[in-house]
Amino acid sequence: MATPTTSRLHRHPLPALPSRPPRAFSSSPRSPAQLGPSRRPTSRLRCSLQPVEAPPPPGKGGEYRPSFADDLLLAFFRAKMVEEVGWDSQKPGYDGLIEVANRLMNKGKSALETEQSAVRVLQALFPPLLLVLFKALLAPIANGRLASLMVARATALSCQWLMGTCSVNSVTLPDGKSLSSGVFVEKCKYLEESKCLGICINTCKLPTQTFFKDHMGVDLYMEPNFEDYSCQFNFGVPPPPLDTDKALKEPCLDICTSARRRREIGGNSSPDGLCPQV
């Protein structure tokens, strides 16, 4: 029987590794000097960029910054207004919305017709059944106080893209009691960008008051301030008659381009400088 040959792997022996003495295990703790240098590097990597300051939160020294959801709400609201007007602006975003609002204002043959058109736009924002159920089931609870509280918070949360920074505050109800059913708009973007008292009154204030009362069963009195462009929403408070509403007796805004043009040519179509579109 032949003797087996040696494997080729064994023809070249590997070099012997130096042997290490076995470690002596000790139960006593060792000092830091005995442990030796740490494996963690002593130097730290430092970022060369300067720290970025966080933007001021809404309502505290900065303008309201619309989110992606706000952009969707703006597009949805604008689409409903375009359906009512039958025309759209070539400008994108908020500037285009203001142009559509101007067309809505000029389309109406009267202030009442413009108000009714704006009410239809607000109706189109909600499912019809939702408005019916809210008015029938929620509006009567606690003499309307629950509904007033709900719509105040919904307005403050969902309408800042349109009006700017706003917050819930307390208002005085007709019975003299206080309720946190108000919304204070610090500086209304809609008024500031439209530069028109008539657009504020006929496409926002009056139709919004009518919409909440007729379609949601909630009283609303809006008090725009045409000096600092703030606005106070008073949910649960009925509006005064039109002939006593002080907002309808205000003169044209100084920034109104139409009023400036009338002053330049020396014409004024209404007494006491009142807005001819109200």
Side-chain angles (χ1 to χ4, degrees), residues 75-171:
F76 181 62
F77 181 77
R78 176 173 174 171
K80 296 303 180 182
M81 188 177 288
V82 168
E83 290 179 7
E84 177 67 28
V85 175
W87 175 88
D88 196 5
S89 169
Q90 297 297 324
K91 293 183 179 180
Y94 205 95
D95 292 338
L97 175 67
I98 294 300
E99 285 199 347
V100 178
N102 273 280
R103 182 62 65 94
L104 177 67
M105 181 73 181
N106 296 327
K107 179 184 177 181
K109 298 180 181 179
S110 64
L112 178 59
E113 186 174 332
T114 300
E115 176 188 341
Q116 293 172 345
S117 296
V119 170
R120 287 193 295 269
V121 173
L122 295 176
Q123 283 183 265
L125 299 176
F126 299 87
L129 184 59
L130 176 63
L131 297 177
V132 173
L133 293 177
F134 188 96
K135 183 177 181 180
L137 302 179
L138 294 178
I141 298 177
N143 294 324
R145 294 187 180 184
L146 176 61
S148 298
L149 291 171
M150 293 176 64
V151 295
R153 280 146 184 79
T155 300
L157 288 174
S158 62
C159 295
Q160 296 197 60
W161 64 268
L162 177 64
M163 304 181 298
T165 302
C166 55
S167 57
V168 175
N169 62 359
S170 296
V171 300

Side-chain angles (χ1 to χ4, degrees), residues 22-239:
R23 293 185 179 181
F25 293 92
S26 173
S27 60
S28 60
R30 292 183 290 176
S31 63
Q34 292 174 329
L35 292 174
S38 173
R39 293 185 180 180
R40 178 178 296 178
T42 56
S43 61
R44 296 182 179 178
L45 296 177
R46 298 184 180 273
C47 180
S48 59
L49 298 176
Q50 296 294 329
V52 179
E53 295 183 359
K60 295 183 179 180
E63 294 183 356
Y64 178 77
R65 291 174 172 82
S67 63
F68 178 72
D70 292 328
D71 293 337
L72 293 179
L73 290 173
L74 188 153
F76 181 62
F77 181 77
R78 176 173 174 171
K80 296 303 180 182
M81 188 177 288
V82 168
E83 290 179 7
E84 177 67 28
V85 175
W87 175 88
D88 196 5
S89 169
Q90 297 297 324
K91 293 183 179 180
Y94 205 95
D95 292 338
L97 175 67
I98 294 300
E99 285 199 347
V100 178
N102 273 280
R103 182 62 65 94
L104 177 67
M105 181 73 181
N106 296 327
K107 179 184 177 181
K109 298 180 181 179
S110 64
L112 178 59
E113 186 174 332
T114 300
E115 176 188 341
Q116 293 172 345
S117 296
V119 170
R120 287 193 295 269
V121 173
L122 295 176
Q123 283 183 265
L125 299 176
F126 299 87
L129 184 59
L130 176 63
L131 297 177
V132 173
L133 293 177
F134 188 96
K135 183 177 181 180
L137 302 179
L138 294 178
I141 298 177
N143 294 324
R145 294 187 180 184
L146 176 61
S148 298
L149 291 171
M150 293 176 64
V151 295
R153 280 146 184 79
T155 300
L157 288 174
S158 62
C159 295
Q160 296 197 60
W161 64 268
L162 177 64
M163 304 181 298
T165 302
C166 55
S167 57
V168 175
N169 62 359
S170 296
V171 300
T172 302
L173 300 179
D175 60 3
K177 296 182 179 180
S178 179
L179 186 68
S180 58
S181 60
V183 176
F184 179 71
V185 182
E186 294 183 4
K187 189 175 185 180
C188 182
K189 184 178 181 180
Y190 189 73
L191 174 60
E192 185 180 18
E193 295 296 330
S194 66
K195 301 179 177 61
C196 179
L197 183 144
I199 290 181
C200 169
I201 296 296
N202 296 322
T203 71
C204 183
K205 171 183 162 60
L206 294 182
T208 303
Q209 292 177 170
T210 301
F211 168 76
F212 276 102
K213 178 60 177 178
D214 294 350
H215 300 281
M216 298 190 74
V218 179
D219 286 322
L220 170 62
Y221 175 37
M222 294 173 60
E223 297 179 278
N225 187 321
F226 297 112
E227 294 183 359
D228 60 8
Y229 302 156
S230 64
C231 187
Q232 176 65 49
F233 286 62
N234 303 280
F235 290 102
V237 179

